[in-house]
Amino acid sequence: LAKQLGDRVRVHGALSQQDLAAIMASAHIFVLPSFYEGLPLVVLEALASGCRIVAADLPGVAELLDVMARLAPDPTEGIRRSA
């Protein structure tokens, strides 16, 4: 997918804390594509860097952001219902 989108999307591998801070400071949007989050500190780091957040409505994320955001539906809801 990243290849098809060209330079509009960048996928970074493991980064040092300094490199991560520099990238977040230059980013506009932070996406947290996760099925489970306990306490997603990376969301706080992205907010502190001025990023807009895109994340699923998961317990850890929802509790952290509370009324600050509208969250995407829980991606595992259909899986849990069918199990």
Side-chain angles (χ1 to χ4, degrees), residues 26-41:
S26 68
H28 299 283
I29 297 172
F30 175 80
V31 179
L32 182 64
S34 183
F35 289 110
Y36 174 80
E37 286 298 324
L39 178 60
L41 295 179

Side-chain angles (χ1 to χ4, degrees), residues 53-82:
I53 307 297
V54 176
D57 188 5
L58 299 172
V61 177
E63 291 167 6
L64 184 62
L65 296 178
D66 195 20
V67 296
M68 293 175 29
R70 183 180 309 152
L71 300 169
D74 181 345
T76 64
E77 190 170 326
I79 296 169
R80 284 183 285 167
R81 283 186 189 161
S82 63

Side-chain angles (χ1 to χ4, degrees), residues 1-66:
L1 179 60
K3 239 183 199 178
Q4 294 171 346
L5 294 172
D7 64 354
R8 293 183 293 170
V9 172
R10 295 183 192 150
V11 178
H12 302 277
L15 300 169
S16 71
Q17 289 295 318
Q18 290 175 335
D19 290 343
L20 178 60
I23 289 169
M24 282 190 164
S26 68
H28 299 283
I29 297 172
F30 175 80
V31 179
L32 182 64
S34 183
F35 289 110
Y36 174 80
E37 286 298 324
L39 178 60
L41 295 179
V42 68
V43 171
L44 290 177
E45 294 168 344
L47 285 170
S49 298
C51 293
R52 290 176 178 92
I53 307 297
V54 176
D57 188 5
L58 299 172
V61 177
E63 291 167 6
L64 184 62
L65 296 178
D66 195 20

